[in-house]
Structures are given as C-alpha cells and as structure tokens.
Amino acid sequence: LYWRGNTLELFNGNRWRSISLNYAKVIGYQSEEIRETLLLTPYGGRNIFTYGFPVRVLDSNGEIFINETKGVAEARKPVVKPLKVELLAVEPRGVGVKLLNERPLLYVPPRLKPLLERIAKEHHLRGLSFGLLLKRLEEYFSSFRYSLNNKARDLEEFLTVYREGNCEYFASAAALILRYLGYPTRVVVGFFGGDFNPLTGYYVVRQKDAHAWTEIYFNHRWFRFDATKYAQTSREVENSDKNLLEKNRLQLLWDTLNTLWLEYVINLDRQKQSQLLNTVKNLFSHISLLSVIKLVFLLSLLLFLGYLLLKPSVLLVVYYRLKYRIPIPLSLSPIGIYLYLWEHYPAIWKREKDGLLKALIYLSNIRYKRVKKT
C-alpha cells in the first residue's frame, strides 16, 4: 500500500524540493474509484496521505482540497487536531495526464551528468523500450542494499562507493537516471505498507513506514517505480518490518480504543450512534457466554489498570492524547509534558501553553499539599 503525501520536482544536487508550478493537467480517470476513510493524528503539516490519486473529497471535519498537478490532497491549514477525511481515489495508472511543462521534471544537475552517462553506458540503458528499460533498472538496483544507516554523504557516494542507503537515495537515483534518458520524473514522498488492525478494519501507518519512490511520465500516465524494493534488505530492516499489532496485543487493543474514540466520539452524530448501538446488539447476539466472560474480565482489567494510573500527570497525558491523538509517554511529569509538546509539537504547544502553565501550577500545589500533609 502506497500512501501519497507530496511530490518533489526540483533537485539541486543535494536536496529535493516541491514546486507550486502547474506543470500537469488531468484529462480523465479510467479506473475504478476507491472510497477510503482516513483518520490523521495531528502532526503540524498540511499533507493528507491517501492511497492512490485523490479524485474528490466526500466529507471531512477540515478544509481539504485536491491538487491535481501533484495528485495529492492537502489541508488548507496545518493539521493540529484529529482529522477525518472521506474521499474517492484511483490507481495512478488510471489517471490520464497532459504534461504542460516538462522542463522541471527533466532537470539534472550538470555535475552529475558524467556519472549518469557512465551508468547508462555500462548497463546498456539507451535505445530500450520503456518496459525493457524498467527491467534493466530493476537488475541494476538489485546489486544495491537497502539500509536505514546512511554512510553515503551524497548521491554520488551512494551510486559509486557504498551502494547502500535508505529509500530517498534509491528514489533520487532512479529519478535522475530516467531524466538523463529523457523521461520526465518526480519523487513522491509518503508511506508504504502499514499494520492492519482486524478489530477496526483500518491500516495503522506510522513514522517507521515513511517512504519515497519515483513516478515516471510516459504515454500520458504516471508510472510508479520503486527502486528500493529491488534492493537487497539488511537484517535490521527485516526485523522492523513485522506487524507490530500482531506481536503486541496490548498495542492492538490501544489502537482499537483510539480509533473508536475518534470514529464514534470526536466525530459522533446520530447516525453513528445508531450504527454503534446496532453493532453492539449484533455482537452480543452472536457471541458465547465464554466470550462475554472474557470481555468482562478484560474490561475489569482495564479499569483496574486505569485506577492504578489515575494520578494528575497521567490524566493530563490522557487528555492530550485523546484531544490531539499524539503519542505522549504516560511516564512524563507535568513539566515533562510541557517540554515534550514544546519540542515535538510546537503548533499544539503554542495553542495549549497557557492552559499547560495553569495546570502545572495547580498540580504542583497539589503535590506540595500532599507532601506537607504527610
């Protein structure tokens, strides 16, 4: 599963950046539409990470628009509160595109051209059909190794010395090789994969799933080319790819509660209340007595754990977790919460700093009184 967030078009030899130029126009959709529901944790950016090319926004508790040139959805304001978006999307190859300006998608830094020419000659990349060229590139990148530890300082070292690095190096290398051969390309950044939660039907996509790949413009279509998946994989990466929800049932339960909270409490309406009530009725009409006992035991255990955790700082953490859907550690003290938001979520900290300071003073007074009384 590829989740599109943004596209990067201009490479200066060291870094990619996104441009706002309208260089492409959608001329039609020729594949079946996919309806998807996205629940986003506040992160301070404006990108909405969608499966496929977004076509139309159906519903949202924020202002969302479609950027057809880039094939992404964006929020008009930074996402600083839980956001729910329902939209229609299509597979990338199902989008008909007319390229209005190919220059930014063909630019290659002059200092890299000799290296790209050498790669094209050594691996016989010229004069091939589009399909055969991609096959040849798959073979080329199969001799590289994907790793989370980047030894290379730049793209040249990645291609010539270490031949090992993260997905950004692979996407950049593929994009520039194809540009040198005359194909307009861009780098797409977003996420790949995710952990499926069978209790909610949602895929949980985390920061560890961040990814970058290449899109090639050919025959009025965008074609995805993910050079990373053809590389050898380090053991470090293989171990991190396992489904965290399958390995950790407590995390599965926590994610389920978070999802239900956002789905049925924050975005609650009468229709959803009715759906939830019917779901509960149907559930209890089909489960056995043993299942009910297990459920009661589980709820009792959760209440007991909640009782153990009920102290002022934990309540404050839970409050911000539920309000903004951010992973604040439960072990933080009140001042730790203040500093954590200031460092990791400055937009949220700016909105909440006055209330946080009041809570900090109040909780400090409670602790002082307790110590004094003891």
Side-chain angles (χ1 to χ4, degrees), residues 56-151:
R56 185 167 73 256
V57 178
L58 302 175
D59 189 23
S60 177
N61 61 334
E63 294 184 51
I64 310 299
F65 69 96
I66 305 296
N67 186 328
E68 287 191 349
T69 296
K70 292 174 170 288
V72 298
E74 300 178 31
R76 297 197 181 278
K77 298 179 180 179
V79 180
V80 294
K81 66 178 182 178
L83 182 65
K84 179 179 179 181
V85 182
E86 294 183 22
L87 53 78
L88 295 177
V90 297
E91 293 286 354
R93 293 190 185 185
V95 183
V97 178
K98 180 181 179 180
L99 207 56
L100 304 176
N101 183 358
E102 65 177 20
R103 289 184 61 187
L105 306 183
L106 285 172
Y107 176 75
V108 175
R111 66 181 177 86
L112 291 176
K113 289 183 178 181
L115 172 59
L116 298 175
E117 175 64 23
R118 188 166 72 249
I119 292 173
K121 283 185 177 181
E122 289 178 359
H123 298 275
H124 310 288
L125 301 179
R126 293 190 182 278
L128 303 176
S129 65
F130 182 65
L132 188 56
L133 172 60
L134 296 188
K135 287 290 184 182
R136 197 68 60 83
L137 286 175
E138 291 174 15
E139 296 171 3
Y140 172 66
F141 285 110
S142 67
S143 63
F144 286 69
R145 179 178 293 275
Y146 172 65
S147 173
L148 299 177
N149 297 318
N150 295 320
K151 297 178 182 178

Side-chain angles (χ1 to χ4, degrees), residues 157-203:
E157 285 194 353
F158 169 75
L159 288 169
T160 59
V161 180
Y162 297 102
R163 300 170 69 85
E164 177 179 336
N166 64 18
C167 57
E168 294 177 13
Y169 279 123
F170 283 92
S172 300
L176 292 176
I177 292 173
L178 286 159
R179 283 186 177 188
Y180 188 73
L181 296 172
Y183 292 92
T185 61
R186 61 188 181 186
V187 170
V188 185
V189 290
F191 296 91
F192 172 71
D195 296 340
F196 181 70
N197 185 337
L199 300 180
T200 63
Y202 279 87
Y203 283 92

Side-chain angles (χ1 to χ4, degrees), residues 46 96 158 173 223 255 367:
R46 298 195 303 115
F158 169 75
F223 289 83
D255 172 72
R367 182 174 290 107

Side-chain angles (χ1 to χ4, degrees), residues 217 234 258 302 320 350 362:
Y217 180 77
S234 65
N258 275 336
L302 288 174
Y320 284 114
K350 189 174 181 180
Y362 175 72

